[in-house]
Each structure stands twice: as C-alpha cells, then as structure tokens.
Amino acid sequence: MAGKAQARGVGARILAAFQAAGAVEIAPDILQPAEALLDLYGEDIRARAYVTADPIRGELMLRPDFTVPVVQEHMANGAEPARYCYLGEVFRKQDHRGAARVAEYMQAGYEVFDRVDPEAADAEVFALIHAALQGLGLTATIGDIGILQAAVAGLDTIPARKVALMRHIWRPQRFHKLLERYAGMVPVPESRRALLEGVRADAPWIGLRDPAEMEARIARLRLDAAAAAIPAADVARLDALFALRCAAPEAPAALRALDLPALDPAVARLERRLAALDARGIDLTTLRFDASHGRSTMEYYDGFVFAFTAADPALPPVASGGRYDALTRVLGGGREIPAVGGVIRPGLLADLEGAQ
C-alpha cells in the first residue's frame, strides 16, 4: 500500500494537470462545521464521519469530502465561471466490511461551475480524469441520476408519493418497497389499517411528537390510502429502467424503448453529453452505462455520475464524480449555478501503477 509521501507525490502530479487545465487551487479547512454537512452527505458518509466538539465553534467534523466545502466557498465568494482543484486528506470511518480500507487517505479533485454548457462541462471533467488514469485497464461506468428523477416525476400519482420516492432514490431497498406499496403489491399492515379506520389503542402519547403532529401524519396516511394505485405497467417500466445496463452508445435507444415519455428531456441531455465526450476523444464503446449508478454514493448528485474501477472488486473506485446542481441552490442563499466535479484517489493510483 502506498505511503503518504508516495500518495502525495502522485497527487501533486494530478494537481498540476488540473491546474494546467485552468483550475485554481483551493484548500478547505480539515475541520468543518458539522451541522450543515451532516444533512447534506448521504447516509453512508454521514455514518462514517468523524465528529468532535469545540467549546467555541460547536460540533465539527473531520473533512470526509471536498465538494461541499468547495461549493460553500464558491457560493460565498466565487466569480463565474470558475474551476477549482485541490489535494488533501479526507477521513471516513470504516465498518467491518471495509476493514481493509484506510480511514484517512488523499483526494485530488477538479470542480467546474459554469452556466454555458453543462454537458460540455461534464465531458471536460470526465476527460481530464480519464487522461490521468490512462494505461491502468480501469472500467469506466457512467449514469445519470437526473434520468431516474425524471422517471419518478413522470409517475401518475399524488405529489406526496413522488416526494417520498425522490427522497429514497439513493436508498434502493427502501425505494422499491415504497414503490410496491404504492402499487398495491403488498398488503397494508394490520396496525396501519386499524389506525386508518379510526381504531386507537387506549395508550398515552409518548415521544417528541404532540397529538396535533400525529393527527396530521394520520391525515397524510389517509390521503395516501385513498390514492389510486400506481399501475403495474408503470412499476415494470421503472424496474426495467433501474436495471438497465448497456454499452454507453446504446443507452439513448434503450431508454426510449422503455416507453417513458417523461425521460425525453433527460435522454436528450445524455445524447448531448455523449457527443461532448466523443468530441474530447473518449471512445464511447469503452464506457458502460448503468442507469442505477450513483444510487449508493453521495446524495447530492442529481445528474451525470461516473466512476473508474479496478478489476479487484474489493477496491474502492479509483476515481468518481458527478453533477450536483441542486447542492449549489441549497448552499447558495438564493443563488445557484450548474456544477460538476470529480476526484481521484492518488494512493490507490500509486498502488496500481506500482503493480504494473
């Protein structure tokens, strides 16, 4: 395993390439305010964050990722358009399944904030990282969370159900259980049926929710129970979408074959992105398209996502990234800007280069 000095040396090489592409180096603090970040990261990272307390600054966390602090800095002080790069340690706890993985490692990254041509920016970030990883025999996989969101938005069901499904796109098991329930494919639990029918156990109110909050929750459950079931054919189309994997050039046709008209704008964006990748010299036939790619990573991704992985399935991705337009809106205080970025793990790259 590459030591810190070796990883930093490889990272410096990557950082120089990012700077040559026009990025300005940025160095967010290692200790970050925890409150906002814990809400913005996905469940996986949130559970693995190192959190501590400061008597003056309050709850803090060791930096688990660069993107959120970079976005915060840009939205507070940045001009447009902007390109940033960085190199530094990130910190993530490892559970027993990841015991062989390190809890502290280097990240080198490149982020683009540009309104003019989002698909061209996607291709710029991907191509730059692709160039840094040449000759290692890695598998490149792309996807688009925006396609999945478009499919959910296009469902013929009540808004509350769409909101719940959108929230759980990044939690596949929960998402598909909800979808089955909304389609009437699983029986209503007896306890919920009794609650909706007005049968209440003679028990005291406990917990933090008061009776008014609980009555509002029951009203929402009744509204859901009265809504028509999502048609089985729509569920089948969504299942087929989430299971779709193919060579990248085949993806637009495969998506259109699913007969989901709500996908049309997102598929058009995918076609523009593929054309932009091709214009940058990327051989599209070497890219895998996975419609569900990115569903178990950062929850702030809402568009293009990608990863470069080695043959050994025990290794984490060597590089990954994606588009996070909505994150800039959350952190922008009323401002927003299309944004995309990606990171490379220099230590892992050093290991792969040393094994050749």
Side-chain angles (χ1 to χ4, degrees):
M1 181 178 295
K4 285 188 177 181
Q6 188 179 3
R8 185 168 291 278
V10 172
R13 183 185 77 207
I14 297 168
L15 189 70
F18 291 165
Q19 289 173 316
V24 174
E25 185 177 4
I26 188 170
D29 292 340
I30 290 177
L31 278 174
Q32 291 284 323
E35 183 177 3
L37 298 189
L38 289 172
D39 290 336
L40 291 169
Y41 288 116
E43 286 186 351
D44 179 57
I45 301 301
R46 188 183 301 124
R48 293 161 59 196
Y50 288 96
V51 180
T52 186
D54 181 90
I56 297 175
R57 298 178 62 191
E59 196 173 41
L60 301 170
M61 66 192 300
L62 289 176
R63 183 177 62 208
D65 168 72
F66 275 89
T67 300
V68 170
V70 169
V71 173
Q72 289 176 315
E73 175 64 24
H74 174 80
M75 300 312 290
N77 303 304
E80 299 180 13
R83 283 159 175 76
Y84 302 105
C85 60
Y86 46 82
L87 173 65
E89 292 87 356
V90 295
F91 307 84
R92 300 181 189 179
K93 298 175 186 175
Q94 302 297 335
D95 61 19
H96 66 281
R97 293 170 297 176
R101 299 184 181 183
V102 294
E104 175 185 348
Y105 57 91
M106 302 288 295
Q107 271 190 356
Y110 184 83
E111 314 283 338
V112 175
F113 297 78
D114 197 333
R115 299 181 187 279
V116 175
D117 189 339
E119 288 74 37
D122 292 343
E124 175 186 342
V125 172
F126 182 92
L128 193 58
I129 291 177
H130 181 277
L133 303 176
Q134 284 296 295
L136 296 176
L138 303 179
T139 298
T141 302
I142 66 172
D144 190 337
I145 298 296
I147 291 174
L148 309 184
Q149 292 175 328
V152 171
L155 287 172
D156 183 14
T157 190
I158 59 175
R161 287 179 171 179
K162 294 182 185 183
V163 169
L165 289 169
M166 285 284 193
R167 186 169 62 249
H168 292 294
I169 280 178
W170 293 272
R171 305 171 183 88
Q173 186 174 6
R174 176 63 174 157
F175 178 93
H176 291 284
K177 284 183 177 180
L178 273 179
L179 188 60
E180 289 177 351
R181 178 160 71 82
Y182 294 157
M185 295 179 173
V186 293
V188 177
E190 188 57 37
S191 59
R192 176 171 293 190
R193 186 187 303 278
L195 180 67
L196 295 176
E197 291 174 354
V199 179
R200 307 282 181 85
D202 186 16
W205 290 98
I206 60 174
L208 298 178
R209 292 189 175 93
D210 61 30
E213 289 178 294
M214 294 303 297
E215 291 294 350
R217 170 64 175 160
I218 293 168
R220 290 194 296 272
L221 291 175
R222 285 181 173 146
L223 179 64
D224 177 78
I230 294 175
D234 288 350
V235 174
R237 292 187 186 98
L238 257 66
D239 286 342
L241 168 62
F242 282 84
L244 178 62
R245 294 170 181 81
C246 61
E250 300 169 5
L255 289 165
R256 288 197 172 96
L258 295 175
D259 191 25
L260 289 167
L263 299 187
D264 288 348
V267 174
R269 288 194 296 272
L270 172 61
E271 289 178 318
R272 293 194 297 271
R273 184 179 304 121
L274 292 174
L277 288 166
D278 181 64
R280 284 188 170 268
I282 303 298
D283 181 356
L284 300 183
T285 63
T286 66
L287 307 184
R288 295 174 60 247
F289 177 85
D290 180 348
S292 284
H293 184 66
R295 292 186 70 194
S296 58
T297 55
M298 299 295 190
E299 291 181 21
Y300 53 64
Y301 289 140
D302 57 2
F304 176 53
V305 285
F306 66 88
F308 290 84
T309 53
D312 184 351
L315 293 176
V318 182
S320 61
R323 175 160 290 280
Y324 47 88
D325 296 352
L327 182 61
T328 71
R329 182 165 59 250
V330 171
L331 298 175
R335 296 174 54 239
E336 60 182 287
I337 181 172
V340 61
V343 297
I344 297 175
R345 294 180 62 149
L348 190 50
L349 181 55
D351 289 340
L352 295 173
E353 289 176 344
Q356 289 186 320

